[in-house]
Amino acid sequence: MDFDFSDRTAELVVRLEAFMAEHVYPAEAVFDAQVAANSNPHEQPPVMRELQRIAREQGLWNLFMTHGDRGAGLTNLEYAPLAEIVGRSIIGNEAINCSAPDTGNMEILAMYGTEQQQKEWLDPLLDCEIRSAFAMTEPEVASSDARNITSTIQRDGDHYVLNGRKWYTSGILDPDCKLIIFMGKSDPTATTYRQQSMVLVPADAAGVEVVRDLPMFGYRDRLGHGEVTFTDVRVPVENVLGKEGGGFAIAQGRLGPGRMHYAMRAIGMAERALDLMCQRASVREAFGGPLAEQGVVREWIARSRMEIDQIRLYTFKAAWLMDTRGNAAARTEAAAIKVAAMEVAHNVVNRAVQTWGAAGVSDDTVLARLFSITRALQIADGPSEVHLRSIALQELKKHDVPKEPVP
């Protein structure tokens, strides 16, 4: 395994770090102020549109896209360190059009969409003319297990009729959201993993109702996390993504690179938290000297450095496997980095909060927000326990117990 940066990645690292330092970090407070001042807090603030304009001009756009000729043409391993850099800021990914849920939606449209679907939805998403949402999670069931999904997709002539209740549908409250990718059961009698389909739904389709915006630990995201009901929503049958019954397979294909994106963003958050921890420890005095002289704080700093570097290497391995052997070969690693990266990031942020004391739980720093995000993401995209179950099953397959005891 060779994790050395390619020439292309090394060049982009320098340019992206300069973009973050010169434009993104200074814009964070402006972004928050403009969102707070807007009568619609889910509307894109002007400063973000300006950041996106600059990113386009500098060629820092759609860096995540590895399919076809629509992105920067980077491999997963080449993109991974770039995802870490922009992950240091809550607004970094959006500034270069590499933010969820659009990244995952664009990937599956590129992989499974028809030419017409790509022209209607993928192209404007890549240009950031529109935004999108992904409707899978349901409040009544543990929908990280796709077999539990109760939303229905029924064929009626040349249309599908959709019914269901979804929640934490990220991005749905953004006025620019024009597309919802809806996952439901199209054939409950089919084999277990052929019952689900994904359908492309215009956000303004009749029968789509946003019931409320859901917070995460009291924070309301600019994109919004909506509870949404679908009541007799009709869409043409050509709006199915891929093939009918292919929803589960598409979801699995979406999650491999997506988990790498999440992991590297988490590492970026952890690095920022570690920086803040070290800054605070160097200047804050307690018991006759700076906190940095306290043994427990030094241990926090040391453990944070080791843990961050370990999970970075593990994530690079997962990205390398996806590039060289395919997403299926990296199944265990993709699940593992989703668990481990969020745990590491949350632990590092927690230590930084403790180092900052009362200021750490306030809005004076980004730490409280990072604390809520890294905790919530241990549930989103499948809770950690689901990934651990998958890892354990793969490991146990290597140690099949014979039916008859060996003498």
Side-chain angles (χ1 to χ4, degrees):
M1 288 176 282
D2 182 3
F3 298 155
D4 195 18
F5 290 173
S6 68
D7 291 342
R8 178 87 167 111
T9 296
E11 174 204 359
L12 284 168
V13 163
V14 173
R15 289 165 52 196
L16 199 53
E17 286 180 338
F19 173 71
M20 296 289 288
E22 295 171 17
H23 302 287
V24 175
Y25 297 133
E28 289 177 333
V30 179
F31 179 93
D32 288 341
Q34 289 181 349
V35 169
N38 197 329
S39 59
N40 182 355
H42 301 295
E43 190 172 22
Q44 183 71 279
V47 68
M48 179 55 71
R49 299 199 186 278
E50 177 62 13
L51 288 174
Q52 291 177 338
R53 181 191 66 79
I54 296 169
R56 284 173 183 262
E57 290 179 354
Q58 296 188 3
L60 303 171
W61 194 251
N62 293 332
L63 299 178
F64 76 95
M65 179 58 79
T66 60
H67 306 285
D69 57 358
R70 290 179 162 93
L74 302 172
T75 64
N76 286 300
L77 184 57
E78 287 178 315
Y79 175 62
L82 308 179
E84 176 184 340
I85 293 170
V86 292
R88 291 173 62 95
S89 172
I90 290 172
I91 65 173
N93 290 284
E94 192 172 0
I96 64 170
N97 204 34
C98 292
S99 58
D102 289 332
T103 46
N105 291 344
M106 285 189 272
E107 283 186 320
I108 58 177
L109 280 166
M111 294 170 65
Y112 301 101
T114 64
E115 184 176 345
Q116 178 57 37
Q117 289 171 348
Q118 291 176 353
K119 181 179 179 181
E120 184 175 2
W121 302 113
L122 178 58
D123 291 347
L125 280 169
L126 287 166
D127 288 336
C128 206
E129 294 174 354
I130 65 171
R131 302 300 296 266
S132 62
F134 188 70
M136 177 174 175
T137 304
E138 299 180 6
E140 290 91 355
V141 298
S143 43
S144 56
D145 181 352
R147 295 173 298 179
N148 292 337
I149 286 177
T150 61
S151 295
T152 60
I153 302 171
Q154 295 181 319
R155 181 76 177 259
D156 182 20
D158 294 333
H159 288 79
Y160 288 119
V161 179
L162 282 49
N163 282 280
R165 181 172 169 235
K166 303 288 188 177
W167 73 343
Y168 281 96
T169 301
S170 302
I172 190 67
L173 283 101
D174 187 336
D176 292 332
C177 180
K178 306 300 180 187
L179 170 67
I180 304 168
I181 299 183
F182 176 95
M183 184 163 176
K185 282 191 176 179
S186 51
D187 185 359
T189 65
T191 56
T192 302
Y193 298 109
R194 295 291 301 173
Q195 296 179 5
Q196 306 84 9
S197 295
M198 288 192 189
V199 177
L200 307 178
V201 183
D204 61 356
V208 176
E209 180 186 358
V210 179
V211 178
R212 57 173 172 153
D213 179 29
L214 295 157
M216 290 194 308
F217 291 102
Y219 287 99
R220 294 195 179 273
D221 193 80
R222 204 281 298 173
L223 291 173
H225 303 288
E227 179 179 344
V228 192
T229 57
F230 296 78
T231 306
D232 295 332
V233 178
R234 299 181 67 88
V235 295
V237 291
E238 56 263 28
N239 280 29
V240 68
L241 185 61
K243 296 181 179 180
E244 189 173 306
F248 184 85
I250 294 174
Q252 292 301 108
R254 183 184 192 270
L255 293 176
R259 287 172 184 155
M260 184 274 287
H261 298 172
Y262 271 123
M264 293 308 296
R265 292 168 189 155
I267 293 168
M269 295 177 201
E271 285 284 6
R272 184 145 187 205
L274 179 55
D275 284 349
L276 288 168
M277 193 192 323
C278 291
Q279 292 167 19
R280 183 71 162 184
S282 299
V283 300
R284 192 73 164 180
E285 291 198 2
F287 305 106
L291 288 173
E293 292 182 357
Q294 299 295 323
V296 67
V297 176
R298 288 185 176 183
E299 181 178 343
W300 291 346
I301 292 169
R303 289 192 180 280
S304 297
R305 170 46 58 211
M306 292 187 298
E307 291 164 6
I308 291 171
D309 288 351
Q310 288 168 355
I311 189 55
R312 181 186 290 110
L313 287 172
Y314 199 2
T315 307
F316 282 174
K317 178 190 177 184
W320 176 82
L321 281 171
M322 284 186 277
D323 290 336
T324 58
R325 302 183 188 176
N327 292 351
R331 179 180 176 184
T332 295
E333 288 75 10
I337 61 174
K338 172 59 170 61
V339 175
M342 289 305 158
E343 288 182 351
V344 166
H346 191 65
N347 289 340
V348 175
V349 171
N350 189 39
R351 293 170 189 146
V353 168
Q354 197 73 7
T355 305
W356 278 77
V361 299
S362 74
D363 287 338
D364 288 356
T365 75
V366 73
L367 289 173
R369 185 72 183 272
L370 292 180
F371 186 93
S372 71
I373 292 172
T374 53
R375 182 60 187 88
L377 287 176
Q378 294 179 56
I379 298 172
D381 190 32
S384 294
E385 291 76 12
V386 171
H387 300 303
L388 291 170
R389 177 180 181 272
S390 175
I391 296 165
L393 289 173
Q394 293 301 312
E395 195 65 21
L396 287 167
K397 286 181 180 179
K398 303 174 186 177
H399 304 279
D400 287 338
V401 178
K403 293 181 180 179
E404 297 295 330
V406 177

